Amino acid sequence: QYWIKFLAPALVSRASTQLRPMIRSAVTLPRQQLASFRRPHVTLLLAVAAAWHCWEASVQYSPADVLSELFVHPVACQRRSPRQAQGTRAPGAAVAALTGEAPADEVHIVRVVKADGSESMFRLPPSAELSSGWDLTQQALKDEEGGIDFDYYGGEYGHVARAVLGETPPMDGSWFWALYVYSSFTGEWTRAPGSVDTIPLVTYPHLAWIASKTALEKSVEDERVLRILGPDPER
């Protein structure tokens, strides 16, 4: 691999010497005259680019990774759309998030505490598709058993929960689905300051849907919920 380090500079120097006058004269030459020497110089330019890429790969990567950098990586990048490239994370990070191995500050967490006290927790890796609390709620819960059912009122009210994971508040209004958020600034759980649509995940990366009791005063109920949630995103 080391011969590339000596060959690449020579090729680049020779190419620049030959291409410089061509570039200066190409501005004034008619299109018909350009066709006579277009192919040889294009071939030389491609050869120089390939040699330079080989040299960079040999410097930055181990011999075992050179082939991957030169051939596998360019093909993989070409097959992905810009949207996929922006929203895709390394498979290892996604697997770690789903299996619970990634730390809380590297994932989004959604907790659901039902009226009987049972709790479910879901972990999602960050992605370009997740920007609001509603995005995270949908991605985490819509395909789980029971799914979700929300009414949409628009404006400041946004989406309001009717059923979460198959559980609907009773007609007597003894409890309802309340949203709590974990602040990345204060490092604690708190009742959501607005609708789930207005919650930015940059500020509140973790959510909790709680079956909140209406028989208690709001301050007392908040204390009860915060004891359940604990001091950390995962308790």
Side-chain angles (χ1 to χ4, degrees):
Q1 64 181 23
Y2 294 100
W3 66 271
I4 299 176
K5 299 180 182 179
F6 300 98
L7 179 60
L11 288 174
V12 172
S13 176
R14 181 174 180 180
S16 61
T17 302
Q18 295 187 10
L19 290 177
R20 192 178 295 113
M22 181 194 73
I23 295 173
R24 287 198 299 264
S25 61
V27 178
T28 59
L29 285 177
R31 183 176 300 178
Q32 294 80 2
Q33 294 180 349
L34 289 174
S36 62
F37 60 84
R38 181 174 53 196
R39 289 186 179 178
H41 289 288
V42 169
T43 303
L44 177 60
L45 185 61
L46 291 176
V48 171
W52 182 260
H53 190 55
C54 290
W55 176 76
E56 283 189 325
S58 67
V59 172
Q60 299 179 13
Y61 299 89
S62 64
D65 294 333
V66 170
L67 289 178
S68 176
E69 171 65 14
L70 292 178
F71 302 106
V72 179
H73 179 69
V75 173
C77 291
Q78 184 178 6
R79 290 179 178 176
R80 290 191 303 171
S81 65
R83 180 180 180 86
Q84 289 174 326
Q86 182 181 9
T88 303
R89 286 172 60 88
V95 172
L98 296 176
T99 58
E101 297 177 2
D105 59 354
E106 295 182 5
V107 297
H108 294 300
I109 295 174
V110 179
R111 296 168 63 177
V112 177
V113 180
K114 296 184 177 181
D116 61 1
S118 61
E119 180 177 345
S120 301
M121 185 172 64
F122 307 90
R123 302 161 60 91
L124 275 74
S127 71
E129 289 75 22
L130 297 177
S131 61
S132 70
W134 174 241
D135 296 332
L136 181 57
T137 297
Q138 276 193 305
Q139 291 292 328
L141 304 179
K142 67 179 181 179
D143 294 328
E144 296 297 326
E145 183 177 357
I148 56 176
D149 184 14
F150 280 70
D151 287 329
Y152 181 67
Y153 295 96
E156 61 180 319
Y157 299 102
H159 290 85
V160 177
R162 294 183 56 190
V164 176
L165 299 184
E167 189 156 332
T168 304
M171 295 297 295
D172 61 9
S174 58
W175 65 268
F176 67 99
W177 285 113
L179 177 62
Y180 284 74
V181 294
Y182 188 88
S183 172
S184 59
F185 292 104
T186 62
E188 60 185 4
W189 288 98
T190 182
R191 189 181 287 263
S195 69
V196 66
D197 304 74
T198 63
I199 300 300
L201 296 183
V202 174
T203 306
Y204 304 104
H206 312 302
L207 309 178
W209 287 100
I210 308 293
S212 179
K213 298 179 181 181
T214 57
L216 302 176
E217 293 184 4
K218 184 177 180 180
S219 59
V220 176
E221 175 62 5
D222 282 341
E223 291 180 4
R224 183 188 73 88
V225 171
L226 294 179
R227 285 196 301 268
I228 295 174
L229 293 176
D232 302 318
E234 302 177 273
R235 189 176 174 79

